[in-house]
Amino acid sequence: MSNITKPKFPSIKYTNRDFNSIRNDLLEYAKRYYPDTYRDFNEASFGSLMVDSLAYIGDMLSFYLDYQANESFLPTAIEYQNIVKHGKAMGYKANLSPSSHGILTFFIKIPANATGLGIDNSYIPILKKNSTFTSSGGTTFTLIEDVNFGNHDSDIIVSNVNSSTGVPTYYAVKAYGRAVSGRYTVEEFTIGDFERFKKIRLNASNITEIISVSDADGNEYFEVDYLSQDIIYKAVPNASNDRTTVSSLLKPFSVPRRFAVERDRGTTFIQFGYGDEDDLSNEGFINPEEFSLDVYGREHITDTSFDPSRLSKTDKFGISPSKTVLRVVYRSNSRANVNAAVNTITKVSNPIIRFDNQPSLTATQLETIRTSLEVSNDEAIVGSISSPTADETRRRIYDVYAAQNRAVTKQDYKALIYMMPSEFGAIKRCQIVQDPNAFRRNLNVYILAEDPLGNLSSANATIKENLKNWLNNYKMINDTVDILDAKVVNIAIDFVIIPEIDRDKFEVLQLAKSALKLKFTTLPEIGESFNIASIYKTLNAIDGIADTANVSITRSFGAIGRGAGQYSNVDFNIKEHLSPDGRILLAPDNIVFEVRNLDRDIRGAVR
């Protein structure tokens, strides 16, 4: 046995993975182990062709192996959809189809009463919610509340008078209502036999909100964040004495019929559980006392956790519909740009107008009132029209995972602000600053939205109100939060470069402008200082530029150009905020620097 020798296997270097190293290894392998069989190492030979082919295949396999390994982890993933999928596993919900909210102004003519000294109350209309209106850019907006033109805060002026007597015959009434971008759509699906974890694909794109899901038997299905959550909180009328100040109460409801919403590459799915009517156990709420004292025969007590979002006795993730017709109502955007500039929402698309005691009213007067309805928007309706970049999404995923459904740190607040559901509007940039001068050291939340042109602008009052209600669900009980507008300072960049002797100066200047345009395409954060030294570094790295002689930063004022809007008029002195060495433009906590017009605000010269 001692004379038996073990076979020797050739050593293979598995660390060589590129084309040249694999090719050299193959050639060395052939020379060492097949010296008498393969001798023609000429690059034009058939053997070299086969070696090159094998090396190429190995190089490509190594590339795809590295690619798959990188895409399997969030820190190294590059593909945007893969980053979103990693975020989904960590509790992040991508807001890929945001909405914009705002206030619409309505005008309507109402007949005067018999004396002509006021409106005829019997003809006061109510503009119902779900009425739709269209902007000049083609964006549809839907009214989300009833507008009663008889409210005490409505403005009333004389519209028409009798030419002979001078007595008013019609009054123009002005009222306001909240609207959201998008239109409501109804889809019906015929559901066959029972199917575990039934998934339904909705046909529309850019779906921002699922309004309701019901079946032919009148059963309603409720949206939850995840299927294991079987408790939702609904608003019920408040019957107590304080109902004048608090109109509704939040009550927990068990929802055995529920669904979760999944989005993938612009497509929206509705996902159900795997329970059915026969085997689903829904015995009401778990008694928390019984749950916490359920220690069986042990003489010790473990650290038992209690999830208040799971209070019903079921493990089927909800009922999956079967042998019925499912009716799904949702809201979707018709265009990618859901913002609207001032006075651009002027078309009445589908008004829903109702009257009290309509049968007793004159049909001619009713038609006159309906056709007189006009709409406009006194302030811009803005939200966010561009999706976050891959790096921004990655950062938000980390923040959301660390937040764990509560706001303690500044990063928690930022993550929750960016996670506000799309039906409430979208915040483009936010910054959290602890106010050192306040008595209770409250938090100042500075926010910015986007205008219809994609520029940073102040958020309207509706978005701020929605954000306040959203943060109230997560903030610590002793935190006080003020939501404020951040200020945008528009700046321009002037630079002077020295090209290399043998290079065309106009070509080099164009390369320099293109590099700076690419650099400042991404909007900065609020309170982020402007690094002037980085501009020198960017320009000097361009092939053909020998040196950068000078870079200066100035303010931009006035009108940008035809149809391009205005620069901001914030009072800000650049010289007073430069660092002592002049390399950094320091930003206060509520200031963001924006190069608004890249073509106009990036100016260069050649020395």
Side-chain angles (χ1 to χ4, degrees):
M1 296 293 294
S2 60
N3 295 328
I4 298 177
T5 59
K6 296 182 179 180
K8 294 182 179 181
F9 297 97
S11 61
I12 300 175
K13 296 181 180 179
Y14 293 98
T15 56
N16 293 336
R17 304 171 64 187
D18 62 278
F19 176 84
N20 290 327
S21 61
I22 295 176
R23 182 178 184 276
N24 293 334
D25 278 355
L26 289 173
L27 293 176
E28 290 295 328
Y29 187 90
K31 291 177 181 178
R32 176 176 298 182
Y33 296 99
Y34 301 97
D36 299 328
T37 305
Y38 180 63
R39 299 178 182 180
D40 187 3
F41 295 98
N42 187 357
E43 293 184 357
S45 66
F46 178 78
S48 294
L49 173 63
M50 298 304 297
V51 170
D52 289 349
S53 299
L54 291 175
Y56 172 76
I57 294 173
D59 184 274
M60 293 300 297
L61 291 176
S62 298
F63 168 78
Y64 285 115
L65 179 63
D66 291 341
Y67 175 82
Q68 293 296 335
N70 289 333
E71 294 299 315
S72 299
F73 301 95
L74 178 60
T76 54
I78 299 175
E79 296 290 340
Y80 186 80
Q81 292 297 330
N82 291 335
I83 294 176
V84 172
K85 289 180 179 179
H86 286 303
K88 182 180 178 181
M90 299 173 65
Y92 174 78
K93 290 188 176 182
N95 186 3
L96 302 179
S97 183
S99 301
S100 58
H101 284 68
I103 303 296
L104 297 182
T105 305
F106 300 98
F107 304 88
I108 201 166
K109 291 200 308 183
I110 301 178
N113 56 25
T115 64
L117 300 179
I119 62 176
D120 189 341
N121 292 332
S122 60
Y123 283 95
I124 295 177
I126 297 177
L127 183 62
K128 305 294 290 185
K129 68 177 182 179
N130 298 337
S131 299
T132 58
F133 309 90
T134 308
S135 68
S136 57
T139 303
T140 300
F141 290 85
T142 301
L143 193 65
I144 58 177
E145 63 181 1
D146 292 344
V147 177
N148 190 343
F149 288 92
N151 288 340
H152 64 278
D153 56 350
S154 300
D155 298 330
I156 304 176
I157 60 173
V158 176
S159 174
N160 299 85
V161 297
N162 189 309
S163 58
S164 59
T165 62
V167 177
T169 56
Y170 283 91
Y171 286 87
V173 182
K174 179 182 179 181
Y176 301 92
R178 294 185 297 129
V180 62
S181 61
R183 66 170 70 243
Y184 291 135
T185 303
V186 179
E187 275 195 67
E188 291 188 349
F189 302 89
T190 301
I191 309 299
D193 295 335
F194 171 76
E195 180 181 344
R196 294 165 60 95
F197 294 108
K198 180 72 175 180
K199 180 181 284 190
I200 297 176
R201 179 183 183 274
L202 302 180
N203 294 323
S205 58
N206 296 327
I207 295 177
T208 60
E209 181 184 12
I210 304 296
I211 305 299
S212 65
V213 176
S214 58
D215 59 23
D217 298 326
N219 299 315
E220 184 177 2
Y221 294 77
F222 297 89
E223 181 180 352
V224 292
D225 293 331
Y226 42 89
L227 289 177
S228 61
Q229 175 186 351
D230 55 12
I231 294 297
I232 65 169
Y233 291 85
K234 295 176 62 177
V236 298
N238 183 11
S240 304
N241 295 330
D242 60 351
R243 59 181 176 272
T244 56
T245 56
V246 182
S247 60
S248 301
L249 301 174
L250 281 178
K251 294 290 186 179
F253 286 86
S254 177
V255 284
R257 293 179 174 86
R258 56 186 181 269
F259 65 92
V261 177
E262 297 181 2
R263 292 181 171 87
D264 183 24
R265 300 179 184 272
T267 305
T268 303
F269 299 90
I270 295 179
Q271 175 76 66
F272 298 92
Y274 73 97
D276 59 20
E277 297 286 352
D278 298 330
D279 62 7
L280 183 65
S281 173
N282 182 25
E283 301 176 2
F285 294 113
I286 291 176
N287 188 336
E289 181 181 279
E290 295 176 356
F291 179 85
S292 60
L293 296 180
D294 189 10
V295 295
Y296 303 101
R298 296 191 302 266
E299 295 181 356
H300 63 278
I301 298 175
T302 58
D303 184 11
T304 304
S305 62
F306 173 66
D307 185 357
S309 67
R310 296 195 62 195
L311 297 178
S312 64
K313 300 177 180 179
T314 176
D315 59 352
K316 302 289 185 173
F317 299 103
I319 293 177
S320 180
S322 61
K323 297 180 180 179
T324 185
V325 176
L326 209 61
R327 187 175 187 267
V328 182
V329 181
Y330 56 83
R331 181 170 54 84
S332 61
N333 292 321
S334 57
R335 301 178 72 250
N337 187 344
V338 295
N339 296 341
V342 177
N343 296 329
T344 57
I345 304 176
T346 56
K347 181 180 179 181
V348 180
S349 303
N350 183 28
I352 305 174
I353 300 177
R354 298 289 184 265
F355 299 87
D356 293 334
N357 301 320
Q358 182 170 333
S360 63
L361 304 178
T362 305
T364 304
Q365 291 283 33
L366 295 179
E367 184 63 22
T368 301
I369 296 173
R370 288 192 175 96
T371 56
S372 68
L373 179 64
E374 297 180 4
V375 63
S376 182
N377 56 312
D378 296 337
E379 62 179 14
I381 297 181
V382 296
S384 176
I385 61 176
S386 57
S387 300
T389 63
D391 291 335
E392 289 177 338
T393 302
R394 197 191 329 269
R395 182 68 262 171
R396 293 180 184 183
I397 291 172
Y398 288 134
D399 294 342
V400 168
Y401 183 74
Q404 296 185 4
N405 218 29
R406 84 284 184 268
V408 178
T409 66
K410 294 180 181 179
Q411 289 299 105
D412 292 344
Y413 275 100
K414 292 186 69 172
L416 289 169
I417 289 172
Y418 287 131
M419 282 293 293
M420 185 173 68
S422 58
E423 59 264 29
F424 297 144
I427 304 300
K428 187 62 178 178
R429 287 291 183 269
C430 71
Q431 177 65 289
I432 314 296
V433 179
Q434 189 168 13
D435 190 350
N437 300 320
F439 177 73
R440 298 182 62 184
R441 300 182 67 83
N442 63 289
L443 299 175
N444 291 338
V445 178
Y446 296 101
I447 62 173
L448 285 171
E450 273 185 331
D451 64 14
L453 301 175
N455 302 318
L456 293 175
S457 65
S458 299
N460 57 35
T462 306
I463 294 180
K464 293 177 183 176
E465 183 68 20
N466 290 339
L467 181 60
K468 182 192 75 172
N469 296 332
W470 173 253
L471 291 179
N472 280 338
N473 296 324
Y474 303 98
K475 75 179 188 68
M476 304 298 287
I477 193 171
N478 58 340
D479 282 353
T480 57
V481 180
D482 292 335
I483 300 176
L484 306 171
D485 287 323
K487 298 180 180 180
V488 180
V489 174
N490 295 131
I491 59 176
I493 302 171
D494 294 277
F495 63 90
V496 179
I497 58 175
I498 302 175
E500 296 178 353
I501 298 176
D502 57 342
R503 296 299 297 270
D504 183 275
K505 62 180 181 179
F506 297 105
E507 178 185 356
V508 173
L509 180 61
Q510 187 61 37
L511 290 175
K513 290 183 178 180
S514 299
L516 292 183
K517 288 179 183 179
L518 181 62
K519 179 180 179 64
F520 295 106
T521 298
T522 302
L523 297 173
E525 297 291 337
I526 301 173
E528 179 182 348
S529 296
F530 189 86
N531 193 340
I532 302 176
S534 67
I535 301 178
Y536 283 91
K537 183 178 180 180
T538 300
L539 294 176
N540 290 335
I542 298 174
D543 182 30
I545 295 181
D547 193 15
T548 302
N550 182 54
V551 175
S552 61
I553 307 299
T554 57
R555 289 289 309 276
S556 297
F557 295 99
I560 299 177
R562 185 175 182 181
Q566 298 276 336
Y567 289 112
S568 66
N569 56 358
V570 175
D571 185 16
F572 184 84
N573 192 311
I574 290 182
K575 292 183 178 180
E576 294 179 356
H577 291 83
L578 283 174
S579 61
D581 57 5
R583 296 182 179 182
I584 298 177
L585 179 59
L586 303 175
D589 294 330
N590 63 334
I591 291 292
V592 60
F593 297 117
E594 179 190 30
V595 183
R596 176 157 292 189
N597 191 304
L598 298 177
D599 294 324
R600 180 174 177 176
D601 296 332
I602 297 179
R603 304 182 289 260
V606 178
R607 179 181 294 180

